[in-house]
Structures are given as C-alpha cells and as structure tokens.
C-alpha cells in the first residue's frame, strides 16, 4: 500500500488516552503531521481545548484537518454517543475531512448505531470494532484490581478474545494514512478466547502474585470503579454495558487484525510478557 501523508493533517480525538495515545505515537514515528484533541488543549503546540459535548470547541481543532481518528469518551455504546459523534463527523465533513477511523466495540447495539450514523455522513469511514482491550488490565481502571489481587466483574466468567491495543492502533494509523482501507470494517480480536479467570491467572503468574476473578453485583462493581477514579455515571454505564456484551456473544474469533495488517493478531500471552517488564503490575 502507498502512504499518503505528505500534506495530510490528522486530528486524533482521545489523543491522550489508551488508543489515541498509541495512534498519535505511531503518526509521530511516521512523520505524519497531526493534532491531539483533548479537553485541556496544548498551549505549546497551539492546540485549543476540545470537548465532545461542547460543539463550540469543534471548529478550531478541525481547522486544516484532512483525516480524523474518532475515539468517543467515555464509551461509544452509551446513550447519546451516536448523536454526538455523527454530529461531529458531519461538522468535519463540512470542513473538508474525507477520511476517518472510528473506534467501536463488538456486540454493542448503540455502538453499531453510531457506526451507521457516522457512515451515513462519511461513507469512506473505516471502523475498527474491538473485543475487550487486553490493556484494560494494565492501563485501565482494572489495573487497581490486579494490584488488589481481585478482578471483580458484574458478569459470569465468560470467554473473551482480548485484543491487543497495539494492533488496534496500528490498524487505525494505517487507515488514516494509507490507501485501501476506506469504507472497511475491521472486527478485531485476539487469536483465541480466554475466560477472565484464565486471563487473571496469566497476569498473576507473570507478575508473581495471585490474581483471581470473581462475579459481583453491579452495585459493587460500580463502587469499585468509582474508587478507582471513574465517574459514577460512567461506572454505572459500564456495569450495564458489561452485563449486556459479556454474555458469551463475543466469544468468536474475528479476522480484522489480519485483514488490516496482513499478519496474525497478537496473543494475550504476548501482551502479558511484554507488559510485565514495565513493572506496572509490581506491588504498590
């Protein structure tokens, strides 16, 4: 595939987050001119503040942009997300954007609706529809659960083909800068499904500590998430979302990583092996 980033400026929403940060780093490594959108802005680079829920902040970050990475916060599967993201996409199109990548989730009806509404205004949209992120255990609020030794979920212990965010970010960066990805849907998973109990055991063994998975009532999950710094409304939304999608519907393996990158998806074990060396799971 040929790259096309000699004049393009890419806007990365969620550019300080788990996926957006990776996308921004890959763009930097490839010499792609890009702008990170965040609520605080960036005075050093002259980037103004951006807020999904404040449309008056949208035009400034879209100035001169040709492509956009759409990473909605707190989650695309929450009520109101489809309307907000599609409105932003329409604004982007009106300002000349023709290429975009949308981060989405598997088995999420509201996320699927968002995909459809964004594609209606931006037909060349590339969607990366992802399984549960492996990095939720090392960078998300489940890191605290690993430290405590108890991974508490408001669902039964189900198999999930955890996806490596490095694969997701590479697919997004390619779609933002290379030909051949426009209009595509990449459903992205790891190469095999593990139960959360099995995933906790793999992490615990590598980290040299016991980590177990337990099923808890939704209210207990919300309380734990709030204790880790998640806003209560977002925590309640996540509890409802987990109860909906972590029911076995997403156990199957998809080939999106291989289709997007031309290589097999990274395994959960490889992610753990790579991550344990960072010390992130070491005792506090």
């Amino acid at each position: 595939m040929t790259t096309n980033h000699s004049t393009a400026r890419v806007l990365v929403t969620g550019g300080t987050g788990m996926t957006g940060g990776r996308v921004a780093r890959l763009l930097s490594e490839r010499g792609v001119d890009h702008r990170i959108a965040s609520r605080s802005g960036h005075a050093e680079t002259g980037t103004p503040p951006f807020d999904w829920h404040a449309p008056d902040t949208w035009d400034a970050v879209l100035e001169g942009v040709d492509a956009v990475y759409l990473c909605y916060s707190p989650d695309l599967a929450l009520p109101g997300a489809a309307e907000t993201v599609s409105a932003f996409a329409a604004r982007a199109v009106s300002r000349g954007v023709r290429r975009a990548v949308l981060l989405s989730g598997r088995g999420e009806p509201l996320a699927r609706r968002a995909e459809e509404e964004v594609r209606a205004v931006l037909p060349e949209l590339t969607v990366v529809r992802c399984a549960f992120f492996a990095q939720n255990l090392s960078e998300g609020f489940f890191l605290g659960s690993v430290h405590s030794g108890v991974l508490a979920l408001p669902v039964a212990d189900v198999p999930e083909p955890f996806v490596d965010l490095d694969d997701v970010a590479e697919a997004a960066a390619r779609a933002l800068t290379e030909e051949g990805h426009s209009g595509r849907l990449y459903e992205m998973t790891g190469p095999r499904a593990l139960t959360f109990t099995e995933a906790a055991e793999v992490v615990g063994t590598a980290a040299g500590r016991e980590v177990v998975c337990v099923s808890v009532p939704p209210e207990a999950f919300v309380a734990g998430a709030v204790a880790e710094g998640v806003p209560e409304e977002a925590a309640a939304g996540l509890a409802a979302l987990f109860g909906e999608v972590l029911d076995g519907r997403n156990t199957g393996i998809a080939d999106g990583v291989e289709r997007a990158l031309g290589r097999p998806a990274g395994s959960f074990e490889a992610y753990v092996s790579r991550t344990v060396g960072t010390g992130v799971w070491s005792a506090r």
Side-chain angles (χ1 to χ4, degrees):
M1 298 177 182
T2 58
T3 57
N4 181 27
H5 54 70
S6 58
T7 59
R9 170 175 287 177
V10 180
L11 176 67
V12 183
T13 65
T16 59
M18 289 168 60
T19 63
R22 285 173 164 80
V23 172
R25 184 169 62 250
L26 288 172
L27 295 176
S28 292
E29 291 172 356
R30 299 173 188 192
V32 178
D33 185 18
H34 65 283
R35 176 184 297 149
I36 293 174
S38 68
R39 287 187 178 183
S40 60
H42 197 278
E44 195 172 304
T45 60
T47 302
F50 166 77
D51 188 332
W52 280 109
H53 303 289
D56 60 340
T57 68
W58 294 357
D59 286 334
V61 296
L62 286 167
E63 182 68 32
V65 165
D66 299 310
V68 181
Y69 177 63
L70 299 167
C71 177
Y72 178 80
S73 178
D75 195 281
L76 195 64
L78 297 181
E83 293 83 355
T84 300
V85 177
S86 61
F88 180 78
R91 182 79 61 86
V93 170
S94 74
R95 299 187 64 86
V97 170
R98 293 295 178 269
R99 180 178 295 192
V101 174
L102 175 67
L103 179 70
S104 186
R106 297 180 87 203
E108 302 172 359
L110 289 180
R112 185 74 61 90
R113 177 183 162 197
E115 294 174 17
E116 294 169 352
E117 294 193 11
V118 174
R119 195 180 295 283
V121 297
L122 214 170
E124 296 184 5
L125 176 73
T126 304
V127 174
V128 287
R129 185 188 292 163
C130 300
F132 197 90
F133 301 155
Q135 278 80 358
N136 281 332
L137 297 170
S138 54
E139 299 172 32
F141 65 84
F142 284 121
L143 175 59
S145 300
V146 174
H147 284 150
S148 71
V150 179
L151 180 62
L153 291 171
V155 295
D157 193 27
V158 297
E160 175 71 17
F162 297 85
V163 67
D164 189 331
L165 281 184
D166 287 351
D167 288 345
V168 176
E170 185 178 349
R174 289 194 186 189
L176 289 165
T177 60
E178 299 177 356
E179 302 302 327
H181 301 280
S182 294
R184 299 287 181 88
L185 165 64
Y186 296 124
E187 191 157 339
M188 312 192 83
T189 74
R192 73 181 184 96
L194 297 82
T195 66
F196 281 84
T197 291
E198 291 170 334
E201 289 175 351
V202 172
V203 170
T205 298
R209 61 168 64 207
E210 183 180 26
V211 182
V212 299
C213 180
V214 299
S215 180
V216 298
E219 56 270 21
F221 171 84
V222 171
V226 170
E228 290 295 327
V230 180
E232 185 170 359
E233 184 177 358
L238 288 175
L241 176 62
F242 288 171
E244 179 178 33
V245 302
L246 294 179
D247 61 358
R249 73 179 65 180
N250 293 329
T251 297
I253 307 303
D255 64 354
V257 172
E258 189 163 0
R259 288 174 50 233
L261 304 181
R263 61 165 175 77
S267 69
F268 185 81
E269 290 80 3
Y271 147 74
V272 170
S273 178
R274 190 174 69 244
T275 303
V276 72
T278 68
V280 69
W281 289 318
S282 299
R284 288 175 173 172

